[in-house]
Amino acid sequence: MNRRIILTIFLLTLISSFLLGSEYYVEDMVLHVPQISKHVDSDLYSSDYLFQKSTPQERLSIYYPTLAFLSYYLPLPSYVTIFLLHRIYLFFYLLLLFVWAMHFANNYFTALLFCLFVLVRFHIGGAAITTVEVDLLPRAIGTVFSLTGLWVRNKPKNAYIFFLLSFIFHPLSGLFGIILYGVWLSNKKLSNLNFVFRNTLYLTLVLFVVLVSAWNLPQISNSWLSIIRLRNSYAFADLWSSRAWINLLILLLPGLIYLLILNNEKIRKTFISLVVLSVVVSLTNVFFVVVHPTKLVIQLQLLRIWFYPALVSIFCAAILLDKFTIKFKWLRVIIVFLLIGLIYSRNSANSAGSANWKEMTVWVKSNTLHNCVFLTPFYNKGFRLLSERSIIGEYKDGALSFYSEEFANQWFTRLLDLNDIQSKTDEMISKLQKKYEFNYLVEKENPQRKFSQVYKNSEFVIYQLSACEKL
């Protein structure tokens, strides 16, 4: 690997550090960071329902203990550690994409365009994933290890080590990597026609075996299923919006165009293989998620397999642009700057919540005891992360409903009870306080409240309803 590629990826990583936004305070990290903090300090979140039951990801993944270990021993604030680790992820992710592009096209400009397209952060249908992660999620680490395993696919022992690493950080990413490796092994010596026939036959047989063996897996209860369908619709093909399906088709369009007008056998076989694989996996998903709902298959969120054909299709778009602009160097420069502008415009909003929200949580962290419990607006995100205090619940918690029926029911009860606390009377709040035993109420200013006010800024007010017991 030459220095030019390393320097290019370093510069792309550096540029993307400024261009990519962050969802650290409002999306999945509001669930992950408290888990990491809990591993560092077991006294945190002692009364938070989120920590009463461990999830399969927590039991199977080394993501939390690994990041907790690094956060504890590195002389940096935990958010700085996570930020730097995310940049390391970006570097290796872009490096892998670049060398894969060079392997297939042997063209520097195509590889550069491919990485820039990926950084635009396209949504993959309705699967609630994008072409690049703006935070250090478990699936980000798992994807890098799976792509590395596929890169060293000619050395099976090394490949399996990387797939294992992928699995123990994010089981689904490891599973996808092993499936892709199996498809590659079964088709690497075949011509195009035989490849398509055998690939389709192979995957159809796999689907048949899966259908037969999974028929007797435990089905999910109707009440649990209804909660998951309400909160986590991205796992259900029948709940994807028409816009989501159109977005997926648009993402796959460059690959389909490539099949019609260009003839690189390696790229054609790869794209066809991934599309056929994704269709078969999606049919499996539809059967065991919609027709015959099965707990394990729902939890696997198999529709995210479309990430891989989408990546190859985006790569095909880069090849097509390279072919059509080869005589117009000035146009290539314009395209690069347009892509950089597009990356910035799509990702520049750093979703950290309002300044008033953050200011209020900083006060909570500095002025209340660790074991205090807060009732916060249900649809606001990140209070638990920013304040390091227990809460009664928030909408984002429902993402974990996949893994426990008991937790799903608890979350749904909270959804019904805590919806629009701003409109509830003092009497209704007092009844909730007896039920959930919280010490503080956080909401926007409400002149009708008679509770004891302990904090106020221009947007939020905190009322104390009971004292926290000193540990």
Side-chain angles (χ1 to χ4, degrees), residues 208-228:
F208 176 77
V209 172
V210 169
L211 290 175
V212 172
S213 59
W215 182 262
N216 292 319
L217 285 174
Q219 284 191 265
I220 194 168
S221 70
N222 289 332
S223 60
W224 190 3
L225 180 63
S226 64
I227 294 171
I228 296 176

Side-chain angles (χ1 to χ4, degrees), residues 7 20 22 78 87 136 168 183 207 216 282 287 294 297 305 335 343 352 385 405 422 434 436 450 460:
L7 179 60
L20 289 176
S22 173
S78 60
R87 269 46 193 180
L136 190 71
I168 61 178
V183 172
L207 175 60
N216 292 319
S282 297
F287 188 84
T294 304
V297 182
I305 191 70
I335 289 172
I343 294 167
L385 183 158
E405 182 173 6
Q422 191 78 25
K434 290 179 181 178
Y436 291 109
K450 304 301 181 183
F460 295 100

